[in-house]
Amino acid sequence: GCQWFETLLALPGASNAARARGLTGLASLEYWQGDDSRATAHYEEALGCYRELGDRFNEADTLFSMSMSIRYDFERCERLASEALAMFEELGSREKSGQVYMAIAALMHRQGRHDEARPLWERALSIAYELGDRQLAVTQEIGIGICEYHAGDLDQALRIALTCLNKAEKLDNVQLAIWMLEYIAAFSASINPREAACLAGAVDALQREAGGVIPLDSLGISDARGVASESLGPDRYLAAVSKGRALTLEQAIEYARGLNRPPSEST
């Protein structure tokens, strides 16, 4: 996908509008591949195009996307997201407003401001329900699970993540399902490290096939791989990961459903 966008952007004679759409498309793929610096540079170029065009909706959308791609410049992230939110609310876009509430909640988590994050996640989820957008609702509902994780209720966090996984499967959304599998591995790592390592191995293989996924550190969540590796030791950890890499998406989903159980004997 990145190669296609780069080829298209290299063609001469594109209008500002076409170029801006190509830049934001490329940036979004780079973001999902974890290349934040390139994504941010392309979003910034697109932002200039949309401002020249007077396209306020896409200007706001690009500001929102940039707030996600910058990640660790917290002050700038919050400024960009707040600017995007004000524009979306002025334009009457409830869906995009909900997405920005989610982005600001994630920013709060990265700074350890967990009590401030939960009301924003709840507001985002309420908007998704209001709009009847089931896919958006799953991405917002997992935020409540993240809040439970940070509050120390791993069992509740895991139950919410499993519910979100079931909904993602019904929506036939592969990327969303992989995302939920990543959360389930992370939430269960300290409880069932062997099973979490196996699921993390499945996620790694599935992510390579899908082409990328949002990193958990953007939400302040400990990676299942580090937690499980420290608990199991290298040999047992690698054996569990290897087992997981052989799982199909359907098998990984069934495996994840078994993680809401007492710790395994190996732990």
Side-chain angles (χ1 to χ4, degrees), residues 20-86:
R21 292 185 67 181
L23 287 164
T24 54
L26 175 59
S28 68
L29 294 178
E30 290 167 336
Y31 166 76
W32 279 94
Q33 292 180 322
D35 194 342
D36 294 346
S37 60
R38 285 178 60 82
T40 301
H42 287 129
Y43 279 134
E44 287 177 334
E45 188 178 348
L47 184 63
C49 294
Y50 285 129
R51 283 174 170 164
E52 286 183 19
L53 291 164
D55 186 339
R56 287 180 54 76
F57 179 88
N58 280 306
E59 177 186 347
D61 202 29
T62 306
L63 288 167
F64 159 58
S65 298
M66 283 176 61
S67 77
M68 299 288 283
S69 67
I70 294 169
R71 292 190 213 272
Y72 298 109
D73 184 345
F74 298 138
E75 184 178 345
R76 188 182 181 200
C77 284
E78 189 163 0
R79 185 175 68 253
L80 292 172
S82 297
E83 187 178 349
L85 179 60

Side-chain angles (χ1 to χ4, degrees), residues 18-208:
R19 182 163 183 80
R21 292 185 67 181
L23 287 164
T24 54
L26 175 59
S28 68
L29 294 178
E30 290 167 336
Y31 166 76
W32 279 94
Q33 292 180 322
D35 194 342
D36 294 346
S37 60
R38 285 178 60 82
T40 301
H42 287 129
Y43 279 134
E44 287 177 334
E45 188 178 348
L47 184 63
C49 294
Y50 285 129
R51 283 174 170 164
E52 286 183 19
L53 291 164
D55 186 339
R56 287 180 54 76
F57 179 88
N58 280 306
E59 177 186 347
D61 202 29
T62 306
L63 288 167
F64 159 58
S65 298
M66 283 176 61
S67 77
M68 299 288 283
S69 67
I70 294 169
R71 292 190 213 272
Y72 298 109
D73 184 345
F74 298 138
E75 184 178 345
R76 188 182 181 200
C77 284
E78 189 163 0
R79 185 175 68 253
L80 292 172
S82 297
E83 187 178 349
L85 179 60
M87 292 176 71
F88 282 135
E89 289 187 334
E90 179 186 335
L91 293 167
S93 177
R94 295 289 287 160
E95 178 183 2
K96 286 296 182 179
S97 294
Q99 290 179 16
V100 180
Y101 282 126
M102 174 187 68
I104 298 174
L107 175 64
M108 300 301 173
H109 280 305
R110 294 203 297 276
Q111 298 175 81
R113 297 158 62 185
H114 306 308
D115 290 342
E116 295 177 67
R118 184 164 191 139
L120 297 176
W121 278 116
E122 290 172 342
R123 189 177 301 177
L125 180 59
S126 176
I127 291 173
Y129 285 148
E130 171 194 322
L131 297 174
D133 189 330
R134 293 185 297 159
Q135 181 168 285
L136 181 60
V138 174
T139 67
Q140 311 295 25
E141 190 173 349
I142 192 60
I144 308 302
I146 294 165
C147 293
E148 297 293 351
Y149 167 88
H150 285 298
D153 193 341
L154 298 182
D155 288 339
Q156 180 64 3
L158 182 56
R159 280 193 288 272
I160 291 171
L162 286 164
T163 297
C164 290
L165 175 64
N166 292 336
K167 291 178 179 180
E169 184 184 29
K170 289 179 181 178
L171 290 168
D172 197 26
N173 187 319
V174 171
Q175 189 67 69
L176 192 55
I178 296 171
W179 192 14
M180 295 306 113
L181 291 171
E182 182 77 280
Y183 281 117
I184 292 167
F187 293 161
S188 61
S190 62
I191 304 169
N192 286 320
R194 185 179 64 181
E195 287 82 352
C198 180
L199 188 57
V203 169
D204 288 342
L206 293 166
Q207 282 180 4
R208 280 195 298 273

Side-chain angles (χ1 to χ4, degrees), residues 149 182 185-186 189 200 216 221-228 237:
Y149 167 88
E182 182 77 280
L216 292 189
I221 298 172
S222 299
D223 193 311
R225 294 153 189 81
V227 175
Y237 172 73

Side-chain angles (χ1 to χ4, degrees), residues 189 193 226-233 236 267:
V227 175
S229 177
E230 183 176 349
S231 177
L232 297 173
R236 289 196 297 162
T267 65

